[in-house]
Amino acid sequence: MDAVRLIVTSRRALAATGGVPELLTEVWQAQALAQALGSRLAVVGPPELRGEALGLTELAGRGCGVLSTPEFGPGELRAAQLTEVGEARQCLMCLGGLLGEVGIALVGIACSVDDEAMYWQCMEVIDAADESRDRVLEMLRRLTDREEALPVREAG
C-alpha cells in the first residue's frame, strides 16, 4: 500500500480511538510507520533527504521503543503494508500532520493519567514525535530548496 494511504488510515484510526490503551496502540502504529518511511526514504528517496531520513528512522524507533509493543494480528501492522512512498513531498506533508496529531493525543493521555510512570512514558514519546516532526519539516525544506535551485541550474 502506498505511504499516503497508510498515513491517512493511521490519522483516521487515531482520531476514532477513545481509550488510553487503544490510543497508545495507534501512537505506536504511527511511530512504526514513520520509522518505515524514514528507512524507505533513506534508501530510495532524493539524496538531499537521506541523512534526515535516517534520523527520522532512529527517532521514530525510539518512540516505538518507549511504548510496549502491541500485539497485532496478521495484516494489522500498517508499517509492514508499506509498498511505495510515492511523491516525497505529499508523503512528508501527510506524515508531519500525523506526527503532530500523535503529539496532541499523547498530551491528552499524559494529562489524564494518574500513573507517574505512564506520564513520563508519554513525555518521552511526545519528545520523539516532536523531533520526528522536526526531521520531516527539515526534509520538506530541503525539497523546497532543491526545487527552487532547479530553474537556476536549467537557466545557467
Side-chain angles (χ1 to χ4, degrees):
M1 189 177 301
D2 75 59
V4 171
R5 207 164 129 201
L6 287 169
I7 294 167
V8 168
T9 299
S10 287
R11 289 178 85 169
R12 287 181 182 150
L14 185 65
T17 303
V20 171
E22 295 84 13
L23 270 171
L24 290 174
T25 296
E26 288 306 322
V27 165
W28 194 96
Q29 285 263 36
Q31 291 287 344
L33 184 54
Q35 184 179 26
L37 286 167
S39 291
R40 189 67 61 95
L41 285 169
V43 174
V44 299
E48 301 89 352
L49 304 185
R50 292 187 180 156
E52 293 296 330
L54 283 172
L56 173 61
T57 301
E58 181 182 321
L59 289 165
R62 189 178 88 204
C64 287
V66 171
L67 297 171
S68 299
T69 305
E71 292 190 28
F72 296 107
E76 291 180 342
L77 177 58
R78 288 187 205 105
Q81 298 172 27
L82 179 64
T83 56
E84 66 180 275
V85 173
E87 202 272 311
R89 175 174 301 285
Q90 182 183 14
C91 172
L92 290 168
M93 288 178 65
C94 291
L95 182 59
L98 173 62
L99 291 169
E101 291 167 10
V102 162
I104 292 167
L106 287 165
V107 168
I109 293 170
C111 291
S112 69
V113 296
D114 294 328
D115 178 16
E116 188 174 342
M118 174 61 72
Y119 171 83
W120 287 111
Q121 187 178 31
C122 286
M123 291 296 113
E124 282 189 61
V125 182
I126 288 169
D127 186 46
D130 187 48
E131 289 182 46
S132 294
R133 189 165 185 270
D134 287 346
R135 294 291 174 127
V136 168
L137 293 174
E138 179 60 21
M139 285 189 275
L140 285 167
R141 186 193 64 76
R142 288 181 185 215
L143 283 175
T144 299
D145 289 350
R146 180 182 77 162
E147 290 165 2
E148 289 173 356
L150 285 177
V152 172
R153 284 188 208 140
E154 291 171 1

